[in-house]
Amino acid sequence: TALSPAQTELARPAPELGFGGVDLPATAQQGEPLRVAARWLAFAPPAHDYTARWTLSGPAEFSAPADLAPASPPTTWPGGSWVLGRAALPLPPDLPPGRYAIGLQLLTGADEPIGEPIPVGEVEITGRARAFEPPPMAVELATTFGGQIKLWGYDLARTRHSITLIAQWGAITRPALDYKIFLHLLGADGLPVAQTDVMPRNYTYPTSHWLPGEVISDTLTLDLTGAPPGDYTLALGWYDPADPLQRLPAFAAD
């Protein structure tokens, strides 16, 4: 339990726990996890499986609970142990950009706060470029999926070896899950000859990050290698990755 020469004292958020500081990124983006790494010292075996409440205060207020060290309950820490606890705090996609002060407070297993919040640092939350008006497109549809996502329409390009579809999605509401898109090239028997399954913008912009009314341009490509000449149908839809057969029901504009 000896402190390093560079550290003469620790904050004591609980009688048996010392807090030795936290590593924070300088910036984080709306909707992305804020990754923190907190240093803990157990002067004695902790009496509770404490959790942490992280609070961001700035242009808005936001708080998120997190384990002190995932998969390592504090009541299993022996006295004298030093623990580095990492957490990923899910920032809301509509959290206003700006400078935020970060505070930390311990909670008991019954979610009762212990002591006062500890100021631990600052972070700059950056915004994301968003569009809220659909651009011109070759084919207009206004199809909806599960009352959450709209397909305003698309543009289609074809080469000898590929099909590229540029879809213009709209968020009717903030989608409940991180859904996946499927794009199938169906033969006369209704079976896919080529397909792609992917999250929007090649996994970089999941649907849980979308804001109501937002328009998202997304490029999907099908490889036609091995597809024999013939007439085909393109089929497009959404599903829950945890249950691929659970597709969002699609409705035409009427």
Side-chain angles (χ1 to χ4, degrees), residues 160-183:
R160 181 179 177 184
H161 300 293
S162 67
I163 291 174
T164 299
L165 184 142
I166 302 174
Q168 304 297 336
W169 303 110
I172 300 171
T173 183
R174 182 177 170 186
L177 301 173
D178 286 330
Y179 294 106
K180 288 186 81 171
I181 308 162
F182 67 84
L183 178 62

Side-chain angles (χ1 to χ4, degrees), residues 1 19 57 61 63 66 69 73 107 110 118 129 143 146 168 182 186-187 209 220:
T1 59
F19 172 68
S57 302
E61 297 288 325
S63 64
L107 308 175
I118 302 171
T143 302
Q168 304 297 336
F182 67 84
L186 303 177
H209 293 188
L220 304 167

Side-chain angles (χ1 to χ4, degrees), residues 85-230:
R86 303 183 188 276
L89 312 178
L91 300 179
D94 57 353
L95 186 67
R99 195 74 180 165
Y100 285 80
I102 301 179
L104 169 68
Q105 188 173 31
L106 289 194
L107 308 175
T108 68
D111 291 337
E112 291 291 332
I114 302 292
E116 296 297 320
I118 302 171
V120 300
E122 294 187 337
V123 66
E124 184 77 23
I125 304 300
T126 59
R128 185 188 292 273
R130 301 179 190 270
F132 290 89
E133 292 292 333
M137 64 203 85
V139 179
E140 296 184 0
L141 290 177
T143 302
T144 62
F145 297 84
Q148 302 179 62
I149 298 170
K150 176 183 287 189
L151 177 60
W152 286 101
Y154 64 89
D155 293 277
L156 195 65
R158 213 184 93 182
T159 69
R160 181 179 177 184
H161 300 293
S162 67
I163 291 174
T164 299
L165 184 142
I166 302 174
Q168 304 297 336
W169 303 110
I172 300 171
T173 183
R174 182 177 170 186
L177 301 173
D178 286 330
Y179 294 106
K180 288 186 81 171
I181 308 162
F182 67 84
L183 178 62
H184 291 173
L185 184 70
L186 303 177
D189 57 2
L191 298 177
V193 175
Q195 70 180 72
T196 184
D197 291 63
V198 69
M199 286 189 182
R201 294 181 179 171
N202 197 26
Y203 291 90
T204 63
Y205 199 22
T207 52
S208 64
H209 293 188
W210 297 4
L211 296 184
E214 186 177 358
V215 176
I216 298 91
S217 179
D218 193 21
T219 301
L220 304 167
T221 301
L222 279 180
D223 182 2
L224 300 183
T225 303

